[in-house]
Amino acid sequence: MIDKKQLKLHFSKNASNYDEYAHVQKDMKNFLVKFMMQNNRNNTEVKNILEIGCGTGYLTSTLIDLFPHSHITAVDIAPGMITEIKSKIKNDSVDFICGDLEEMNFNNTYDIIISNATFQWFNYIHATIEKLYTLLNPNGTLCFSTFGEHTFCELNECFKKVKEEMSIKESIYSGQSFYSLNELSTLCKDATKNQNIDDVLVEGKEKFEYEYFNNCNDFFTSIKKTGANNSNKNNKCTSLTFIKKVIKYYNENFSENNKVKATYHCLFLKIMK
């Protein structure tokens, strides 16, 4: 389970740093927008858009350019992110809301619901997708990106090896667990199957992105500076000795051309009503 209080704190604290470090998230945004526009059944004018996890606004700005006559509702859980995006985007067609989408109720319906690199922070993703689907207008599209099961596989391997080396039996996780593309696609289909609509279309894609750092410490700093550090409620504190061993193992075993490698497994889902 994600501790939403910690999540708000982490992202608010690092809102001003986010754009400097969120290279993979920005690449995901570009792919997500192209994916959303491909084979889109929404042939009517897009009037209302809901963006979930608007962050600093790099997707919001793209939506404004693509749909200049649409109204956008941009939601983010972190007050610091809302402050940051409001300082960058001055547009009467955009409303900003600070809130936890999983706890929010909506009176409007939308032609497009879109989210980039946010769904991994939901505790009840099945119920959330079900709720969002009901907010879609006929021929509407729900499109989102998130992270898949192979994300940070190098770090996961380091935690596993150091646990074995130190004979640690208790559960210690490097971060949250993620879905495979097949698992998430199945979840999306299941979440929409009771909507009395015969032709719900669910499409999924995946791709891998890689980042390279001078060392493992720089990798950890990059995660922290985006606010994406561990917000799990069941996160157990690890000893300094454990972390030092993880860093050492990472630097020694996941180096390419004098840089350490970090894998991002990016998933893209599109649900068309």
Side-chain angles (χ1 to χ4, degrees):
M1 295 286 283
I2 298 297
D3 185 333
K4 296 296 183 74
K5 289 183 179 179
Q6 285 295 314
L7 191 69
K8 291 178 189 178
L9 179 65
H10 292 160
F11 278 105
S12 288
K13 182 180 179 181
N14 292 283
S16 61
N17 307 316
Y18 188 86
D19 285 343
E20 182 180 351
Y21 291 90
H23 307 297
V24 169
Q25 290 86 342
K26 291 177 181 177
D27 288 340
M28 289 171 70
K29 181 269 293 187
N30 294 332
F31 190 93
L32 176 67
V33 170
K34 291 178 182 177
F35 181 45
M36 178 189 70
M37 301 296 287
Q38 290 171 354
N39 303 319
N40 198 323
R41 294 197 300 180
N42 192 342
N43 296 318
T44 61
E45 181 183 357
V46 175
K47 295 181 179 179
N48 287 313
I49 299 172
L50 174 63
E51 182 192 354
I52 303 160
C54 59
T56 57
Y58 53 87
L59 173 56
T60 317
S61 297
T62 300
L63 294 172
I64 292 170
D65 291 339
L66 283 173
F67 306 102
H69 303 297
S70 300
H71 181 270
I72 300 170
T73 302
V75 178
D76 201 280
I77 195 172
M81 286 293 189
I82 293 295
T83 299
E84 187 75 14
I85 192 173
K86 282 184 174 180
S87 71
K88 295 178 177 180
I89 296 179
K90 312 288 186 181
N91 193 306
D92 292 338
S93 68
V94 184
D95 287 334
F96 301 103
I97 300 176
C98 185
D100 181 352
L101 183 98
E102 292 192 292
E103 298 179 357
M104 294 172 64
N105 294 314
F106 294 85
N107 295 321
N108 293 332
T109 55
Y110 303 91
D111 302 302
I112 292 173
I113 300 176
I114 188 167
S115 177
N116 185 57
T118 299
F119 271 50
Q120 67 274 10
W121 303 118
F122 293 150
N123 285 323
Y124 308 102
I125 189 168
H126 185 284
T128 299
I129 291 172
E130 188 173 7
K131 176 171 75 172
L132 292 174
Y133 188 77
T134 65
L135 298 177
L136 284 177
N137 289 325
N139 295 319
T141 300
L142 166 60
C143 196
F144 67 92
S145 67
T146 187
F147 295 104
E149 61 180 337
H150 301 298
T151 298
F152 299 160
C153 55
E154 300 88 358
L155 183 60
N156 294 334
E157 178 68 15
C158 291
F159 265 64
K160 178 182 176 182
K161 291 295 184 182
V162 174
K163 276 185 62 180
E164 292 173 354
E165 180 185 324
M166 297 180 68
S167 300
I168 296 173
K169 301 301 182 183
E170 64 178 332
S171 297
I172 301 176
Y173 303 103
S174 58
Q176 67 207 95
S177 59
F178 300 109
Y179 292 101
S180 68
L181 179 61
N182 183 61
E183 288 170 338
L184 193 53
S185 296
T186 300
L187 188 151
C188 289
K189 292 173 184 176
D190 186 63
T192 57
K193 71 180 182 181
N194 295 323
Q195 300 300 319
N196 297 319
I197 296 176
D198 295 329
D199 59 343
V200 176
L201 296 180
V202 177
E203 184 180 354
K205 291 188 177 183
E206 62 188 330
K207 67 194 295 281
F208 287 87
E209 297 280 353
Y210 305 97
E211 282 201 298
Y212 295 88
F213 302 89
N214 290 327
N215 50 57
C216 183
N217 280 321
D218 285 356
F219 168 47
F220 286 167
T221 297
S222 176
I223 296 173
K224 185 176 180 180
K225 290 294 186 180
T226 62
N229 36 320
N230 200 333
S231 295
N232 283 354
K233 283 187 176 181
N234 62 352
N235 185 36
K236 295 182 179 179
C237 293
T238 51
S239 68
L240 183 59
T241 299
F242 182 90
I243 294 300
K244 284 182 176 179
K245 286 181 177 291
V246 166
I247 291 171
K248 183 174 184 292
Y249 189 88
Y250 202 120
N251 288 333
E252 290 176 350
N253 291 276
F254 296 103
S255 178
E256 294 181 7
N257 299 319
N258 296 318
K259 299 279 188 178
V260 298
K261 177 183 178 182
T263 296
Y264 292 77
H265 181 202
C266 309
L267 306 183
F268 302 85
L269 275 297
K270 180 165 58 175
I271 305 172
M272 293 169 283
K273 200 164 190 176

